[in-house]
Amino acid sequence: MSIEFKGVTKRYGDASSPLVVKGIDFLVPKGTLTTILGPSGCGKTTTLRMIAGLDSPSGGQIIIDGKDVTTLGPAERNVSMVFQSYALFPHMTVLDNVSYGLQVSGVSKAETLQRARTALQNVGLTGYDDRLPSELSGGQQQRVAVARALVLEPSVMLFDEPLSNL
């Protein structure tokens, strides 16, 4: 899927608050790998969060695969994001963390288990099903977060500083 930003701005607070993202325009063609580079605080994470639907832009349009998704929520975008902090549920096992998105989407239990175990196998974590995140290394936690994103079979995968904790 392609991603396009047309004059996208973002500010936190009222209209007098400073812009965090200042009228950006770009196109990410379908099937490409794109990196957003810049200094700390320049709006990289905010931009990713707007693509995912976790933050709404203050102005402009976000278009994914030709469809204006500017006002759509995260569940309506078919986008997965791996966060810098991994955002794993500490009280849930590895398998439960990876299965969570499928469970809340109404996927059958049998299919959820099969897809989650396949995702764990794909990231080299076969046999880690019953461990808690606190029992894993940082790299293993990151792979759980990647498996959790991949298991949803998204059209767009977003990674927020994927190597910062390694």
Side-chain angles (χ1 to χ4, degrees):
M1 295 192 141
S2 64
I3 302 169
E4 185 174 5
F5 268 41
K6 292 183 177 182
V8 174
T9 61
K10 176 64 181 175
R11 69 179 75 232
Y12 293 100
D14 62 24
S16 65
S17 299
L19 286 170
V20 177
V21 173
K22 301 175 183 177
I24 59 175
D25 296 284
F26 66 81
L27 173 67
V28 178
K30 180 179 182 173
T32 62
L33 175 66
T34 301
T35 302
I36 301 172
L37 298 172
S40 181
C42 75
K44 300 179 301 290
T45 295
T46 299
T47 299
L48 293 177
R49 289 180 58 84
M50 287 190 291
I51 294 169
L54 300 171
D55 282 343
S56 298
S58 301
Q61 285 183 293
I62 301 171
I63 299 165
I64 298 179
D65 206 28
K67 180 180 178 184
D68 186 343
V69 299
T70 308
T71 60
L72 299 181
E76 301 168 286
R77 296 188 185 207
N78 197 22
V79 173
S80 284
M81 185 165 171
V82 177
F83 297 91
Q84 182 178 351
S85 65
Y86 313 137
L88 299 177
F89 298 111
H91 64 287
M92 295 171 70
T93 66
V94 165
L95 185 62
D96 290 339
N97 264 284
V98 175
S99 300
Y100 183 77
L102 295 173
Q103 291 171 352
V104 298
S105 297
V107 176
S108 73
K109 187 173 184 174
E111 183 179 348
T112 293
L113 287 174
Q114 184 270 322
R115 285 172 60 181
R117 287 196 171 114
T118 298
L120 287 170
Q121 180 181 10
N122 289 340
V123 298
L125 291 177
T126 301
Y128 287 75
D129 296 13
D130 296 326
R131 293 192 189 182
L132 294 172
S134 62
E135 300 172 314
L136 303 175
S137 70
Q140 290 167 330
Q141 289 178 30
Q142 183 178 43
R143 288 186 280 156
V144 172
V146 170
R148 184 178 59 191
L150 287 173
V151 77
L152 298 174
E153 299 173 353
S155 298
V156 176
M157 285 282 299
L158 304 171
F159 293 87
D160 186 7
E161 299 192 37
L163 304 177
S164 65
N165 289 319
L166 296 180

